[in-house]
Amino acid sequence: MRALRLAAVGLTALVALTACGDSSDKSDTGNSAGGSVTVFAAASLTESFTTIGKSFETANPGTTVTFNFAGSSALATQINEGAPADVFASASPKNMAAVTGAGSPTTFVKNQLVIAVAKGNPKGLAALADLTKPDLKVALCAEAVPCGAAAKTALEASAVKVTPVTLEQDVKAALSKVKLGEVDAALVYRTDAKASASDVDAIEFPESAKAINDYPIIVLKDAENPTGAQKFIDYVLSADGIKVLTEAGFQAP
Amino acid sequence: MKTARVPVPLLIPAILGLIFLILPLAGLLVRTPWATLFDRLAEPGVVEALRLSLITSTLATVVCLVLGVPLAWMLARVTFPGRRLVRALITVPLVLPPVVGGIALLLALGRRGIVGQWLDSTFGITLPFTTAGVVIAEAFVALPFLVIAVEGALRGADSRFEEAAATLGSTRWTTFTHVTLPLVAPGIAAGAVLCWARALGEFGATITFAGNYPGITQTMPLAVYQTMESGDLEGAVVLSLILLVVSVAILAGLRDRWLTTP
């Protein structure tokens, strides 16, 4: 009896154990059915693509757009593992290239980094070099995600050595650490800081010009709805789409 | 062992259940690049993450034991108003998605949190982005497992032994240490194992509350996630396998030495 109970406990423990790395299965499966387009897009496109998606749906009645926003590297992995996606919009060509058989993507916008700080800039930061101040807590994106790669390039190009307290999995996570007041500064995209202008201030720094991110977009090889996917991309590249993007702080390519 | 025929309505779901549990593990093994397995093991980052995982989950289990056993005892042996509410509250971290738990911890113990603010201004202590923060996140999600297991053991234990001790003049504290604890020791051990396993696998609350930095807060599950995010699926599989092998080995070792009382 006791042996049985212990075996049960052991088993339960194993289950609990293997359930470990779960939580954030971001793959969204709103596919199939005529007229639905599934778009995998970089976290930094959250606000602008949501807006574009709505007006695209209005312009194309009967078509629905489903988004999956995450770090570009996570999206690339999900696509390679067979997640059902029609369109992939990445925050860097590197993550686009990681998608097998990505063909030749179109660059639709560019983005660059700013220093995001709490509203009112309580620590009085003014330049990239200020991030090395002692006692200053800085969040960066992990190198695998485009904002982290750009941060690394910018910091290396300007010979500034920052020791972050955390390496976040996408740009929104880094920004939320500033919003929560857990860090004093984070290197995020200008567009993300702008989208959260009520909570954070953005400090522009000249070195960010050395690490400008190109955003490529593509219809995926295994797209279930290639026609709808191309339509969506055309809409993003149209005057209406680019207007939404530039208003969000992106630069036209 | 001789048994009567196993009824089919029990046998089939049992086998399906077993396959359901084993299949993902098989998937992991099939995709494991065995050739590079040992090179990966030698990578300093891997050892660092594994060490951090083992240390933090063990510390979290100690924290859970110190706080959880008395809490379970209170629930099982003391009648107080609102006991049902307390019991319900204890199960909240069980149903809470760990990421939500992490946010809640930030709002309570973060630099701007209700208690964290005071910790920072009075003692200059900030918990997020520290190894202590990892232990707290793990203990938060693992504590209910221990409390529920120990409370169950206490309720199942024969209370006549405690009553006998009391009639012989033993104080409640002496009864607890000399009668109750030995009586429910197997239950506590089982709860501690569950608690440790849950802490070892903790991901959501850790990455949200404690952040992700190698050597300080990057435990194995976080390292697995980050490796997968960077597109290195093979690496992620190898790390998962290492975590799995180490934890199963430890659990099996514990079971043989300590959990199987005759």
Side-chain angles (χ1 to χ4, degrees):
Chain A
M1 179 61 198
R2 171 167 289 165
L4 198 74
R5 201 166 60 212
L6 285 171
V9 166
L11 245 170
T12 325
L14 268 180
V15 174
L17 194 78
T18 45
C20 69
D22 66 324
S23 47
S24 50
D25 183 9
K26 290 161 189 155
S27 63
D28 202 339
T29 49
N31 65 328
S32 73
S36 105
V37 184
T38 307
V39 179
F40 278 30
S44 45
L45 292 164
T46 309
E47 295 83 7
S48 36
F49 264 33
T50 307
T51 311
I52 288 176
K54 278 190 192 125
S55 40
F56 175 74
E57 282 175 354
T58 318
N60 298 275
T63 312
T64 52
V65 187
T66 314
F67 289 109
N68 175 21
F69 296 109
S72 299
S73 57
L75 293 173
T77 308
Q78 289 172 6
I79 291 167
N80 284 339
E81 286 302 304
D86 297 311
V87 175
F88 179 34
S90 161
S92 100
K94 179 173 162 269
N95 301 98
M96 181 57 85
V99 172
T100 33
S104 48
T106 315
T107 299
F108 64 106
V109 277
K110 289 173 186 292
N111 206 354
Q112 74 189 71
L113 295 175
V114 295
I115 304 168
V117 293
K119 200 79 195 156
N121 192 4
K123 297 274 175 175
L125 306 182
L128 194 60
D130 289 346
L131 294 184
T132 58
K133 280 185 184 171
D135 295 336
L136 196 79
K137 290 194 168 159
V138 181
L140 297 180
C141 297
E143 249 178 66
V145 276
C147 62
K152 188 174 180 241
T153 312
L155 289 168
E156 273 175 3
S158 39
V160 174
K161 200 163 161 40
V162 173
T163 309
V165 291
T166 181
L167 301 169
E168 296 293 323
Q169 298 307 316
D170 65 43
V171 64
K172 297 295 183 196
L175 188 66
S176 70
K177 291 288 193 289
V178 178
K179 286 192 199 171
L180 282 163
E182 295 301 340
V183 298
D184 302 303
L187 288 185
V188 301
Y189 294 119
R190 177 190 285 155
T191 51
D192 296 293
K194 201 167 172 181
S196 300
S198 53
D199 299 311
V200 301
D201 281 348
I203 302 162
E204 301 271 348
F205 59 98
E207 296 89 340
S208 73
K210 291 169 189 154
I212 291 179
N213 271 38
D214 286 343
Y215 280 52
I217 192 167
I218 196 169
V219 177
L220 289 162
K221 174 168 64 69
D222 296 328
E224 286 185 17
N225 184 1
T227 325
Q230 189 56 52
K231 257 181 157 174
F232 178 78
I233 294 180
D234 291 344
Y235 192 81
V236 170
L237 294 168
S238 73
D240 288 345
I242 295 296
K243 183 162 169 276
V244 173
L245 289 160
T246 45
E247 272 171 7
F250 287 102
Q251 295 141 275
Chain B
M1 196 163 75
K2 272 202 176 1
T3 46
R5 247 173 67 88
V6 179
V8 175
L10 291 180
L11 184 67
I12 291 173
I15 291 174
L16 285 178
L18 190 65
I19 292 174
F20 176 57
L21 288 177
I22 288 176
L23 203 60
L25 297 180
L28 200 65
L29 291 177
V30 167
R31 287 284 288 267
T32 303
W34 298 99
T36 57
L37 192 64
F38 288 97
D39 301 339
R40 287 277 180 173
L41 249 176
E43 278 173 24
V46 174
V47 179
E48 204 174 46
L50 188 61
R51 202 179 62 99
L52 190 69
S53 266
L54 294 176
I55 292 174
T56 53
S57 54
T58 307
L59 286 176
T61 307
V62 171
V63 170
C64 289
L65 280 171
V66 170
L67 304 177
V69 173
L71 187 54
W73 182 83
M74 288 286 286
L75 286 172
R77 291 286 185 271
V78 184
T79 322
F80 58 91
R83 185 163 69 161
R84 295 178 67 164
L85 180 71
V86 172
R87 190 176 290 132
L89 283 176
I90 284 168
T91 54
V92 167
L94 279 182
V95 293
L96 213 59
V99 177
V100 178
I103 296 171
L105 282 172
L106 275 179
L107 298 179
L109 300 172
R111 207 154 60 143
R112 303 270 178 280
I114 40 179
V115 176
Q117 211 168 15
W118 170 79
L119 280 178
D120 189 15
S121 60
T122 316
F123 304 105
I125 298 172
T126 54
L127 291 168
F129 316 121
T130 63
T131 307
V134 177
V135 174
I136 287 173
E138 291 179 349
F140 178 74
V141 292
L143 185 55
F145 286 84
L146 183 98
V147 174
I148 289 170
V150 175
E151 197 204 340
L154 282 166
R155 287 181 173 279
D158 195 338
S159 60
R160 281 176 302 179
F161 291 111
E162 292 174 11
E163 282 157 20
T167 55
L168 294 171
S170 161
T171 64
R172 229 172 168 180
W173 172 245
T174 316
T175 310
F176 175 74
T177 54
H178 285 69
V179 179
T180 316
L181 271 188
L183 207 58
V184 297
I188 294 177
V193 167
L194 254 186
C195 175
W196 180 79
R198 180 64 189 87
L200 189 71
E202 217 305 302
F203 172 78
T206 309
I207 200 165
T208 313
F209 179 63
N212 171 42
Y213 198 77
I216 297 169
T217 57
Q218 192 182 74
T219 55
M220 277 301 263
L222 272 63
V224 170
Y225 183 65
Q226 178 157 320
T227 310
M228 196 195 74
E229 288 255 287
S230 65
D232 181 8
L233 195 68
E234 266 193 7
V237 170
V238 170
L239 291 183
S240 311
L241 195 72
I242 293 171
L243 182 61
L244 197 69
V245 167
V246 169
S247 43
V248 169
I250 291 175
L251 283 179
L254 283 181
R255 228 186 77 171
D256 289 347
R257 288 182 126 230
W258 173 49
L259 279 179
T260 37
T261 42

